[in-house]
Amino acid sequence: MPNYQIAPSILAADFARLGEEVDNVLASGADIVHFDVMDNHYVPNLTIGPMVCDALRNHGVTAPIDVHLMVKPVDRIIPDFAKAGASYITFHPEASDHIDRSLGLVRDSGCKTGLVFNPATPLSYLEYVMDKIDMILLMSVNPGFGGQSFIPATLAKLKQVRSLIDQSGYNIRLEVDGGVKADNIQSIAKAGADTFVLGSGIFGHGQPSDTNRYNSIIAKVRAQLGSH
Ligand code: DX5
Ligand code: ZN
């Protein structure tokens, strides 16, 4: 069985209590913190930047932080996120004029790299850079907002990427982001994903006063994956 990883998207967390929310979701068994960065330019929404990533590290978060850049341009902000403690930095190829250079910048900054594909973005961007990528992220919604419905065509695209990764022989994670829930995660895993972003599928569940408030929803997700 693949080493499945659950990556709650803090976009759906209570921002007024962000440190506590991240502590809770990790204590409840999540693996990675998915950190959505939006600039009101590449996507029509505005969220958080390196200062918040730094604040989470200072708060004591040691889990990997998976920074999903929905910004254009990307290069200027990469070293700032590396300094702020990012583990992965993924970006959309359409948002970079020089994809190979941006990937190099991420690795030179000491972080793991990733390319993100919108529902209609072709996979051809991968052709010459498979050796420079640690993660491929398929968007299963159009980026910009949490709480949207999973686009079913993503399943066929996941299968395609899974075979590209397997053929390449590289150790590349396959992440999926948007509309992932306990009730559809099994078919998404079957299509080849091994890393699952869940925003509204995790945050908001359980009792706010409970330290392990996300225990039961994460257990439910893991049970669907067959991994405990
Ligand atoms: C959308 C973001 C997602 C979002 C997922 O642009 O990249 O990470 O938070 O939220 P849900 O799981 O609610 O679709
Ligand atoms: Zn995301």
Side-chain angles (χ1 to χ4, degrees), residues 9 34 36 68 70 137 139 177 197:
S9 163
H34 186 78
D36 286 306
H68 174 193
M70 286 161 275
L137 171 48
M139 294 305 300
D177 183 3
V197 177

Side-chain angles (χ1 to χ4, degrees), residues 38-53:
M38 304 185 186
D39 67 349
N40 187 38
H41 169 69
Y42 178 66
V43 291
N45 200 356
L46 186 66
T47 59
I48 45 179
M51 286 171 66
V52 177
C53 187

